[in-house]
């Protein structure tokens, strides 16, 4: 075992000696190298700028800053995903071009439809329907001096279901529009058919 | 003033977290407000509708309406299933060429008691016109108390006589006024229907030579 260790030490010593031995360079080779370097064109300003971008360079950041930047990049990714509606779920509706017939083309522009409710006692009135996701905060109506509440909603040609919401809690159908039946929620809605789809 | 990298990074992190939170609130699926089990069932329902080529917008709209009206998840699911079934039956009655609005209106008509066979009869005599307005008026009349048979037969006769959308809407306004004035709904409809002018039906294309 001891002989084996000695032979390894000897091998290492020889390797070290060989590595430390100065390398003799041929003077002619040195001259050729210097000439080749002189023949190289001097770097231009644009190539210096380019190399600034492409050459690797070490830099150091504190761990907290690195974490913050990583979180920022994730946040940008999330925002972009949300903006593109690519959240991994299937879309909840087919593309309109498929769902709607050729008689209701996508190019038909929405029309501003006026909604009016006479409710002088109401403190606030809004319109909810299939056009705003039944969100009572989305389309508030404006009170006129005579107690009527009005608002305009841009609607695509076709049939839309809606209701007024009075004081945030009471659903009231439009007395000047056809009724849609109560489907189980206890209140009838109203229907508006925006011209264009059937003409 | 010397910028502190730690504070700068904290501010950046906080801003991005707030921005992503706010945006996620706006952009997330509106059905997320529905209780988890009911939402899963609604999503399965909508997937089925999609596979059958049915529109999913009416189902989603009914769910959102239920949420807006603070209905229980159980009721919302029951209503959504009913809408799905009526859309499927409406498609079966009207065929694949029916528009989304026609299907939706026809589904409403089925839910107030119109039969698939009556719907199919209307659909077969469309002559290129859309059924949306006649069906909207029909549903309204039944909802206001006009007997179902009277309403569907009257609308069908006017439809066959070539009545236009404006005729149906004019009929609806007249009947609605009469009912508000105290008239019997069925009698009001029959009376007003007599005043609708008969229009020339669209020309029937001659059969092609063999």
């Amino acid at each position: 075992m001891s002989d084996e260790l000695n032979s390894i030490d000897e091998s290492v010593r020889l390797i070290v000696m060989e590595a430390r031995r100065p390398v003799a360079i041929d003077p002619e080779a040195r001259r050729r190298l210097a000439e080749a370097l002189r023949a190289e064109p001097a770097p231009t300003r644009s190539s210096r700028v380019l190399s600034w971008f492409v050459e690797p360079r070490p830099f150091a950041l504190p761990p907290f800053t690195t974490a913050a930047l990583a979180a920022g990049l994730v946040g940008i990714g999330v925002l972009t995903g949300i903006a593109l509606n690519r959240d991994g779920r299937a879309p909840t509706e087919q593309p309109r071009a498929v769902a709607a017939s050729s008689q209701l083309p996508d190019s038909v522009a929405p029309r501003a439809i006026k909604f009016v409710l006479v409710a002088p006692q109401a403190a606030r009135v809004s319109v909810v329907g299939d056009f705003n996701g039944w969100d009572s905060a989305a389309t508030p109506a404006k009170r006129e001096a005579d107690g009527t509440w009005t608002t305009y909603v841009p609607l695509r040609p076709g049939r839309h279901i809606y209701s007024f919401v009075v004081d945030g809690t009471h659903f009231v159908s439009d007395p000047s529009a056809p009724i849609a039946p109560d489907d189980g929620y206890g209140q009838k809605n109203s229907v508006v058919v925006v011209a264009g789809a059937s003409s | 003033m010397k910028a502190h990298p730690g504070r700068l990074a904290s501010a950046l992190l906080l801003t991005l977290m707030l921005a992503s939170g706010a945006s996620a609130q706006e952009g997330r699926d509106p059905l997320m407000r529905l209780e988890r089990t009911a939402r899963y069932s609604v999503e399965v329902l909508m997937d089925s509708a999609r596979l059958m080529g049915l529109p999913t917008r009416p189902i989603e709209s009914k769910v959102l309406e239920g949420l807006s009206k603070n209905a229980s998840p159980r009721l919302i699911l029951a209503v959504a299933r009913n809408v799905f079934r009526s859309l499927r039956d409406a498609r079966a009655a009207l065929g694949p060429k029916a528009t989304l609005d026609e299907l939706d209106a026809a589904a409403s008509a089925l839910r107030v008691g119109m039969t698939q066979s009556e719907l199919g009869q209307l659909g077969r005599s469309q002559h290129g016109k859309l059924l949306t307005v006649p069906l909207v008026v029909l549903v309204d009349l039944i909802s206001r108390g006009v007997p179902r048979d009277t309403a569907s037969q009257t609308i069908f006769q006017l439809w066959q006589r070539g009545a236009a959308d404006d005729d149906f809407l004019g009929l609806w306004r007249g009947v609605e006024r009469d009912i508000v004035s105290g008239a019997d709904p069925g009698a009001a409809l029959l009376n007003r229907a007599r005043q609708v002018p008969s229009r020339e039906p669209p020309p029937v294309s001659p059969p092609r030579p063999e």
Side-chain angles (χ1 to χ4, degrees):
Chain A
M1 184 63 129
S2 176
D3 289 347
E4 195 178 338
L5 284 175
N6 287 337
S7 69
I8 290 173
D9 286 348
E10 182 59 20
S11 304
V12 171
R13 192 181 62 79
L14 286 171
I15 289 168
V16 170
M17 277 178 62
E18 185 62 25
R20 284 180 177 168
R21 192 163 59 85
V23 179
I25 298 174
D26 181 9
E28 183 57 23
R30 190 188 291 268
R31 188 189 60 77
R32 282 200 306 272
L33 180 62
E35 277 181 2
L37 282 173
R38 274 196 293 274
E40 279 286 313
T44 60
R45 184 182 177 83
S46 59
S47 65
R48 279 202 302 273
V49 170
L50 183 66
S51 66
W52 188 87
F53 283 107
V54 297
E55 280 180 4
R57 64 191 68 243
F59 68 97
L61 281 176
F64 187 79
T65 310
T66 311
L69 284 173
L73 287 172
V74 170
I76 289 167
V78 169
L79 291 177
T80 311
I82 288 167
L84 294 174
N85 194 22
R86 300 272 173 84
D87 57 355
R89 277 172 41 76
T92 52
E93 181 57 285
Q94 299 159 351
R96 271 183 200 286
V98 176
S101 81
S102 58
Q103 294 170 80
L104 187 59
D106 238 5
S107 58
V108 179
R111 291 177 53 194
I113 302 299
K114 186 180 185 182
F115 293 90
V116 181
L117 181 71
V118 180
Q121 305 297 321
R124 63 180 197 277
V125 171
S126 61
V127 180
V128 292
D130 54 15
F131 42 81
N132 65 6
W134 294 87
D135 180 359
S136 59
T139 316
K142 189 181 167 192
R143 192 184 197 280
E144 308 291 340
D146 59 357
T148 59
W149 295 78
T150 57
T151 186
Y152 289 85
V153 182
L155 294 181
R156 292 166 55 85
R159 173 182 176 273
H160 301 275
I161 306 290
Y162 69 98
S163 177
F164 289 105
V165 184
V166 177
D167 294 338
T169 49
H170 304 293
F171 287 78
V172 178
S173 59
D174 188 343
S176 63
I179 291 171
D182 168 27
D183 284 321
Y185 297 136
Q187 293 105 359
K188 287 174 182 171
N189 296 315
S190 301
V191 185
V192 59
V193 180
V194 179
S198 59
S199 53
Chain B
M1 198 173 92
K2 190 181 173 186
H4 195 288
R7 285 183 190 164
L8 198 66
S10 306
L12 175 69
L13 181 63
L14 189 64
T15 308
L16 280 166
M17 283 171 74
L18 288 174
S20 16
S23 190
Q25 287 282 333
E26 288 166 12
R28 73 183 182 187
D29 186 351
L31 298 184
M32 289 295 282
R33 286 188 288 145
L34 187 59
E35 182 267 332
R36 197 174 155 190
T37 314
R39 189 176 75 235
Y40 176 75
S41 303
V42 166
E43 283 170 356
V44 168
L45 207 59
M46 288 169 68
D47 285 342
S48 305
R50 217 172 274 122
L51 278 175
M52 295 167 75
L54 297 172
T56 55
R57 200 180 68 184
I59 301 171
E60 187 184 41
S61 178
K62 270 296 158 201
V63 172
L64 295 177
E65 181 189 342
L67 287 169
S68 179
K69 293 178 175 175
N70 292 321
S72 69
R74 193 173 178 171
L75 177 59
I76 290 174
L77 185 56
V79 169
R81 282 190 176 131
N82 199 21
V83 171
F84 168 77
R85 277 193 294 268
S86 57
L87 283 169
R88 185 192 57 197
D89 294 348
R91 165 63 54 83
L94 294 181
K97 288 185 178 174
T99 67
L100 188 151
D101 285 321
E102 284 180 309
L103 272 187
D104 210 355
S108 272
L110 290 173
R111 294 200 292 277
V112 294
M114 196 179 184
T115 64
Q116 264 186 290
S117 117
E118 288 169 328
L119 201 55
Q121 213 176 357
L122 269 177
R124 281 191 293 277
S125 49
Q126 273 188 273
H127 305 299
K129 295 191 298 177
L130 289 185
L131 274 169
T132 310
V133 171
L135 286 172
V136 164
V137 170
L138 174 63
V139 169
D140 174 277
L141 294 171
I142 295 173
S143 301
R144 286 180 196 274
V146 175
R148 190 191 60 80
D149 287 345
T150 308
S152 61
Q153 281 166 19
T154 307
I155 293 295
F156 182 64
Q157 283 165 10
L158 291 174
W159 180 246
Q160 282 198 313
R161 280 163 46 190
D165 284 355
D166 286 345
D167 295 324
F168 285 108
L169 290 172
L171 172 78
W172 164 74
R173 281 190 204 96
V175 174
E176 193 255 343
R177 266 200 302 272
D178 294 346
I179 293 173
V180 169
S181 306
D184 172 73
L189 173 61
L190 293 174
N191 184 41
R192 290 282 179 174
R194 280 193 285 273
Q195 298 168 27
V196 176
S198 181
R199 300 185 189 279
E200 286 293 310
V204 178
S205 51
R208 289 181 182 174
E210 293 294 326

